[in-house]
Amino acid sequence: MSVTRAPRKLYVKSYGCQMNVYDSQRMADVLAREGYVETATPDDADVLVLNTCHIREKAAEKVYSELGRLRVLKQEAARDGRRLTVAVAGCVAQAEGEEIIRRAPVVDLVVGPQSYHRLPDLVARAAVEGRVVDTEFPAEDKFDHLAAPTRAATRSRGAAAFVTVQEGCDKFCTFCVVPYTRGAEFSRPVAKILAEVEDLVAAGVKEIRLIGQNVNAWHGDGPDGRAWTLARLLYRLAEVPGVARLRYTTSHPRDMDDALIAAHRDLPALMPQLHLPVQSGSDRILDAMNRKHDRAAYLRVIERLKTARPDIAMSSDFIVGFPGETEQDFSDTLALVDAVGFASAYSFKYSPRPGTPAADSDDQVSEAEKAERLARLQARIDHHAAAFNAATVGRTADVLFENPGRHDGQMTGKSPWMQAVQVMAPPSVKGEILAVRITGTGTNSLYGALVVANGTAPLRHDGADHGTTPDPALPGAPDPAVRAASGGH
């Protein structure tokens, strides 16, 4: 009599950036071929992966703290006669390597972000040989060796999906570890991106979010034998039947070329929201950061984007307390926030990253000053975000519904401007793009009501009409005559 073996279980905990979310999903896909199924809890996992990020403050120490807690879980698994393989992946794995093995006996496997396509072999090696470290930059393209997700896996992840098109960075900002943990810039070819997008859409995905550490530097090989730009890729993806929405992140101001800005004017599917990190409003600090742009250049890019798409919602990243930052430098940052009026932004205290030039600076800002400036900056950002959100109240916007809301009978989705919108609606709206009348604002989201067509059914959009036409009362939106003359959407 044959014995059916229970499937092995995989638990992946992802930290940090959107790239890590994508990577975690692809780890699950590659292990699925070996019979692993994802579990919602680490308690019954056979393989547990911490997919780490090195950008946030004290990232490595947070990983070691988590590993300390996992020691108990591994001991409990052993008492039950079950082997638990603990892996550390991602950028902390790349940066720390053998140090993780030395400091955390619970770890069986350390794998860098360029090698996770080897996970099945590495897990098997760890079971036979003992602890394994793989943080090399392999010669082969990992994307060529990754399994495509099943239709069921794609549907379970929702109607919006990340697609990595670019990895690495050649900018070498003095505060950043990405060039060291992710390597030099690499762009995936058009054919492979297009095939992945078509598979996702066939499984029900409506919104494609192109991601990369420096995504607008993408220059992948096209079917014509030439390197394409991100703008050309967006135009091509907008032609894929079923692609209702396109987004891309994270961008560098120096790589916002004319064609990419024009795409925001011309493509209805390209959502009117862009994350464009500036880091500081001070030219002196921007130079010290090696950002390769100044304040005026950044503001010119913003002006051109708003001319192309007047209702665009801008978001950004800021670092406060960079070495040598004075009160005047910080005041320049506050002034830039006021000049742009960001719809949202992320702000962080500067935290030294070992191996980066800024970490060795003798002109470090005190923790007390950094904390005080961060509070002031975040208050200014929150003021502008609240104003942007308030301007949408009373308007109608298309919402892509993704998950249940915070309360019974509530569903949540994303507006074209990337705002979370809470709506009383049945679970059946998940994955739909529906017209919503915005009725109010909360601390971190908007509230709305479905717009009903013919008095019976919600107003739907199937992708032919993407429903992102700006209401003239939204911040910066032109009147209809101006829109018609400019050809914008």
Side-chain angles (χ1 to χ4, degrees):
M1 184 179 69
S2 63
V3 178
T4 302
R5 180 182 175 182
R8 290 170 291 182
K9 295 184 179 181
L10 167 71
Y11 180 82
V12 184
K13 181 172 182 178
S14 189
Y15 299 77
C17 67
Q18 293 169 326
M19 183 79 78
N20 270 17
V21 175
Y22 176 89
D23 286 350
S24 293
Q25 292 174 349
R26 303 313 298 271
M27 290 181 203
D29 296 334
V30 77
L31 285 169
R33 290 186 301 189
E34 307 300 316
Y36 286 89
V37 297
E38 288 188 83
T39 177
T41 172
D43 297 340
D44 60 350
D46 298 292
V47 172
L48 191 154
V49 181
L50 301 182
N51 190 21
T52 61
C53 177
H54 211 285
I55 297 299
R56 302 294 180 255
E57 185 176 8
K58 299 180 180 177
E61 293 307 315
K62 292 177 181 177
V63 171
Y64 288 120
S65 177
E66 180 75 10
L67 290 171
R69 290 189 288 270
L70 292 181
R71 182 175 55 191
V72 175
L73 194 64
K74 190 165 186 173
Q75 290 169 347
E76 291 174 350
R79 283 196 295 269
D80 294 338
R82 183 167 52 85
R83 175 183 171 82
L84 171 59
T85 299
V86 175
V88 178
C91 290
V92 171
Q94 187 69 40
E96 298 280 312
E98 295 280 356
E99 179 70 4
I100 295 174
I101 294 291
R102 187 186 70 79
R103 289 185 56 180
V106 70
V107 175
D108 301 288
L109 170 62
V110 177
V111 55
Q114 303 307 324
S115 300
Y116 64 75
H117 59 293
R118 299 172 175 171
L119 262 177
D121 290 339
L122 294 172
V123 170
R125 276 182 55 196
V128 174
E129 302 173 13
R131 307 167 83 192
V132 175
V133 177
D134 187 344
T135 54
E136 299 299 317
F137 285 89
E140 74 269 15
D141 176 5
K142 70 181 178 186
F143 294 101
D144 288 342
H145 300 272
L146 290 172
T150 64
R151 292 277 177 91
T154 298
R155 284 193 291 269
S156 71
R157 292 166 185 169
F162 296 123
V163 175
T164 291
V165 300
Q166 182 273 340
E167 282 194 305
C169 186
D170 296 341
K171 295 293 191 292
F172 287 92
C173 296
T174 59
F175 55 82
C176 186
V177 298
V178 166
Y180 312 103
T181 59
R182 291 277 183 171
E185 288 179 359
F186 166 77
S187 297
R188 295 179 68 194
V190 173
K192 293 179 181 178
I193 296 168
L194 185 61
E196 185 172 343
V197 168
E198 288 173 341
D199 285 346
L200 290 168
V201 172
V205 169
K206 290 185 170 66
E207 177 172 301
I208 301 296
R209 301 173 183 174
L210 306 180
I211 55 175
Q213 272 87 28
N214 195 14
V215 70
N216 56 342
W218 177 87
H219 52 277
D221 292 336
D224 56 1
R226 298 182 178 182
W228 284 23
T229 64
L230 183 63
R232 191 172 181 186
L233 177 65
L234 288 166
Y235 280 95
R236 177 64 185 89
L237 294 179
E239 296 173 354
V240 176
V243 172
R245 290 181 163 191
L246 290 168
R247 302 184 192 271
Y248 63 93
T249 194
T250 290
S251 299
H252 194 285
R254 279 180 60 91
D255 295 314
M256 290 300 304
D257 59 30
D258 292 341
L260 187 53
I261 291 173
H264 284 273
R265 177 195 67 208
D266 297 338
L267 293 178
L270 185 55
M271 293 293 95
Q273 184 270 341
L274 179 62
H275 186 69
L276 191 63
V278 63
Q279 307 300 356
S280 175
S282 162
D283 283 343
R284 195 177 69 83
I285 296 300
L286 289 171
D287 183 61
M289 290 176 167
N290 194 36
R291 287 289 293 168
K292 299 182 174 69
H293 66 82
D294 59 17
R295 172 197 185 93
Y298 183 84
L299 290 173
R300 284 195 299 271
V301 170
I302 298 295
E303 181 180 8
R304 291 163 61 205
L305 283 162
K306 289 187 174 182
T307 298
R309 185 70 199 247
D311 69 326
I312 195 166
M314 297 302 307
S315 66
S316 195
D317 289 342
F318 291 91
I319 294 173
V320 300
F322 188 81
E325 183 187 71
T326 65
E327 181 61 29
Q328 182 57 55
D329 294 322
F330 178 69
S331 294
D332 290 344
T333 294
L334 294 178
L336 185 138
V337 170
D338 290 338
V340 175
F342 293 100
S344 63
Y346 300 99
S347 55
F348 310 96
K349 294 185 293 183
Y350 171 73
S351 164
R353 294 291 178 269
T356 59
D360 297 327
S361 173
D362 295 329
D363 204 6
Q364 302 291 333
V365 177
S366 72
E367 285 299 317
E369 286 178 288
K370 285 191 283 190
E372 190 273 337
R373 289 174 186 172
L374 181 65
R376 278 194 283 158
L377 174 60
Q378 195 58 57
R380 192 72 61 92
I381 290 168
D382 290 346
H383 167 78
H384 289 287
F388 187 91
N389 288 342
T392 65
V393 175
R395 311 302 167 188
T396 299
D398 284 353
V399 172
L400 173 58
F401 286 94
E402 297 178 304
N403 294 298
R406 291 190 291 265
H407 305 293
D408 289 343
Q410 195 177 64
M411 293 294 288
T412 185
K414 288 292 192 304
S415 78
W417 301 278
M418 206 61 175
Q419 300 143 308
V421 185
Q422 307 283 342
V423 179
M424 298 304 294
S428 59
V429 304
K430 183 174 181 178
E432 299 276 4
I433 300 175
L434 304 176
V436 170
R437 184 83 170 173
I438 306 302
T439 58
T441 65
T443 303
N444 297 308
S445 61
L446 304 177
Y447 297 95
L450 293 177
V451 175
V452 176
N454 303 320
T456 57
L459 187 59
R460 282 176 163 79
H461 291 280
D462 61 5
D465 174 6
H466 300 287
T468 59
T469 303
D471 191 298
L474 286 175
D479 62 43
V482 174
R483 277 185 30 75
S486 68
H489 185 88

